[in-house]
Amino acid sequence: MNTSINLKQINKLAIPALIAGVSEPILSLTDAAIIGNMEENATTSLAAVGIVTTFLSMLIWVLGQTRSAISSIISQYLGAGNIEAVKNLPAQAILVITTLSLIIIAITYPLAAQIFKLYNADGTILNYSVDYYRIRVFGFPFTLFTIAVFGTFRGLQNTYFPMLIAISGAAANILLDFIFVYGIEDLIPAMHIKGAAYASVLAQLLMAILSAFYLLKKTDVPLLATLPFNPEMKRFTLMILNLFIRTLALNIALYFGTSFATKYGANYIAAYTIAINLWFLGAFLIDGYASAGNILSGKLFGAKDYKNLIELSNKLIKYGIIAGCIIALIGTIFYFPIGRIFSNDDAVLTEFYNIFWIILAMQPLCALAFIFDGVFKGLGKMKYLRNVLLFSSLVIFIPVIFWTDSLNYKLYGIFIAFTLWMVARGLPLIIKFRKTFKPLAQKA
């Protein structure tokens, strides 16, 4: 079978996936930039957005793993030439995951204050966090629906339509942010932090509507769930459970990062909010190549084409490191203007500039970890991904962040811990992949 992978084929999937992948961090970055430049209560509002964004990211990452599981199964069946056998799986997965999202809303909405107190929020920051969350959480089911549809398109080797949907959602969010946060004189009152939340929910609703439209119009995959459950629902569920545990481990790290930054004071959590959202943006930019790895590795694995699977991994390592270096270079060139986009508070900017260089230096390391995350998801090796994240979070990140806190390194310590965390995530995946598939490729 001649399925040789070239740069054009990778970029055809990676570049649209890259653009689609930045939609969620752009929603949060837009909120942060516009809120951070308000005339009143900008720093406390920005701190609240950072706390809520961390918690919402946890929820989205925990349940949003449907994208990887659906993509893995569909791409493997596509590679094996038996796609008809799993056509009803996406609708069933969407029904399960959106039902879970409604249960989570019902549980977390009344407990919002108690949740954000766990992040060391109090006073005005706590009140703003609760206000912002109790609006933004209603976009949660729409986001999960969109993510599941994106996974279906990825499994079908198509990242173009997710890109169109993501661009539409991001553009709508930016426009609505300006309208609702600042208001329109004599027409729409300024709603400040609540306005940013409303803008995000409406943008997420738009993306869900467009996702349903493109899936029904451009594929023959149904959206109406029917019984009995597809036989692959069992494997799908096991994948989700492993990814669920993995994502909890990931969010333990994010929780401690946000909690420590909040403990250090409003200027620190505001600076951390800017920094961590820019880190998320870099991660999602590199995720374009991770997505290509996810999509193509699943197809090649399904076709038992191990030789080209090794070739794919070699190319993805090279392209990912190049992408990470480019992101770091751009950040270095625009080091100070980037900070001023998000805040005009000198104290916040000072703390941000002190640690932004660490985030930029991390980008090539992040590229390797994220790309092999994607490859292993495409292979369906969720159990190994789970174990690596548990090790890197519990054995590496947590001891390091407590140690650096004891040394009073503050934000330096948080991002040193994140850097070592990424190294511990990436290296085991690369070693395991090479040991597993190199011998198989040599036999082919």
Side-chain angles (χ1 to χ4, degrees):
M1 181 182 292
N2 184 15
T3 52
S4 182
I5 304 299
N6 55 44
L7 177 59
K8 183 178 179 181
Q9 188 175 355
I10 291 172
N11 281 337
K12 186 178 179 181
L13 294 170
I15 293 173
L18 182 156
I19 296 170
V22 301
S23 60
E24 183 59 33
I26 281 178
L27 294 182
S28 298
L29 279 170
T30 302
D31 288 354
I34 292 175
I35 289 168
N37 284 283
M38 294 189 309
E39 293 182 2
E40 297 180 6
N41 301 316
T43 299
T44 50
S45 295
L46 185 59
V49 168
I51 293 167
V52 174
T53 297
T54 299
F55 181 67
L56 273 175
S57 295
M58 179 198 69
L59 294 179
I60 291 167
W61 286 346
V62 166
L63 295 182
Q65 299 302 326
T66 47
R67 180 178 68 181
S68 297
I70 292 172
S71 175
S72 174
I73 293 170
I74 291 180
S75 63
Q76 287 177 29
Y77 271 79
L78 184 68
N82 191 24
I83 193 65
E84 289 292 321
V86 289
K87 274 174 59 175
N88 64 338
L89 179 65
Q92 294 172 352
I94 288 169
L95 176 63
V96 170
I97 214 70
T98 51
T99 301
L100 279 174
S101 73
L102 295 175
I103 294 171
I104 286 173
I105 291 174
I107 294 170
T108 61
Y109 187 92
L111 297 175
Q114 288 80 0
I115 290 168
F116 297 121
K117 283 179 182 176
L118 294 174
Y119 287 83
N120 290 322
D122 57 17
T124 305
I125 291 177
L126 177 61
N127 294 334
Y128 283 179
S129 296
V130 172
D131 288 344
Y132 184 68
Y133 178 76
R134 284 182 170 168
I135 297 168
R136 261 207 78 175
V137 73
F138 286 103
F140 188 42
F142 304 132
T143 296
L144 292 179
F145 177 89
T146 301
I147 286 171
V149 173
F150 281 15
T152 306
F153 274 117
R154 285 187 178 192
L156 296 171
Q157 315 292 289
N158 185 319
T159 56
Y160 176 72
F161 294 120
M163 178 189 71
L164 295 182
I165 295 163
I167 290 172
S168 300
N173 186 72
I174 292 169
L175 176 63
L176 292 170
D177 254 338
F178 277 104
I179 292 172
F180 291 155
V181 172
Y182 298 131
I184 298 176
E185 192 173 352
D186 300 326
L187 187 63
I188 298 175
M191 290 183 274
H192 306 299
I193 192 171
K194 289 184 178 180
Y198 284 122
S200 294
V201 171
L202 290 174
Q204 288 162 323
L205 172 60
L206 173 64
M207 291 173 68
I209 292 170
L210 290 174
S211 296
F213 170 78
Y214 279 114
L215 189 69
L216 293 173
K217 187 175 177 64
K218 301 297 182 180
T219 77
D220 56 357
V221 175
L223 270 176
L224 182 64
T226 57
L227 294 175
F229 280 117
N230 189 286
E232 284 289 353
M233 273 299 288
K234 180 179 179 181
R235 182 158 72 112
F236 171 81
T237 303
L238 288 174
M239 285 184 179
I240 291 298
L241 287 174
N242 279 319
L243 289 172
F244 175 79
I245 296 169
R246 174 184 182 272
T247 309
L248 285 179
L250 184 153
N251 280 283
I252 286 171
L254 292 176
Y255 163 75
F256 276 106
T258 304
S259 180
F260 275 103
T262 305
K263 182 182 76 170
Y264 300 144
N267 291 333
Y268 289 94
I269 183 58
Y272 172 86
T273 297
I274 300 169
I276 201 70
N277 277 296
L278 286 169
W279 185 67
F280 289 154
L281 178 62
F284 278 96
L285 285 170
I286 293 166
D287 190 57
Y289 287 96
S291 299
N294 177 300
I295 295 163
L296 293 170
S297 64
K299 185 178 179 183
L300 293 170
F301 185 60
K304 295 182 170 43
D305 190 354
Y306 305 120
K307 184 177 179 181
N308 278 303
L309 187 57
I310 288 290
E311 182 189 340
L312 170 67
S313 73
N314 292 336
K315 290 180 178 178
L316 286 173
I317 288 172
K318 181 172 71 174
Y319 303 147
I321 290 175
I322 291 171
C325 290
I326 290 171
I327 293 169
L329 179 62
I330 292 170
T332 302
I333 293 170
F334 298 101
Y335 198 90
F336 294 101
I338 287 172
R340 288 190 287 271
I341 292 172
F342 298 99
S343 179
N344 51 21
D345 187 318
D346 288 339
V348 172
L349 288 174
T350 297
E351 298 304 332
F352 168 70
Y353 292 140
N354 282 343
I355 48 87
F356 186 35
W357 66 270
I358 303 177
I359 293 165
L360 297 178
M362 286 170 64
Q363 293 307 308
L365 296 174
C366 292
L368 292 176
F370 295 143
I371 282 172
F372 276 85
D373 267 0
V375 168
F376 271 75
K377 287 174 182 175
L379 299 171
K381 306 295 184 182
M382 312 307 186
K383 183 178 178 180
Y384 191 74
L385 285 173
R386 178 201 70 191
N387 293 340
V388 167
L389 232 304
L390 284 169
F391 170 79
S392 58
S393 295
L394 301 180
V395 179
I396 303 297
F397 183 87
I398 290 178
V400 170
I401 198 170
F402 274 93
W403 176 60
T404 56
D405 177 64
S406 70
L407 297 174
N408 201 33
Y409 284 3
K410 296 185 177 178
L411 294 187
Y412 284 112
I414 292 173
F415 285 101
I416 288 170
F418 274 126
T419 302
L420 296 175
W421 183 60
M422 293 308 303
V423 172
R425 286 176 58 181
L427 281 180
L429 296 181
I430 296 171
I431 294 168
K432 175 71 171 178
F433 180 86
R434 309 289 286 188
K435 285 181 67 175
T436 301
F437 292 104
K438 256 199 163 184
L440 293 173
Q442 289 167 354
K443 291 178 183 178

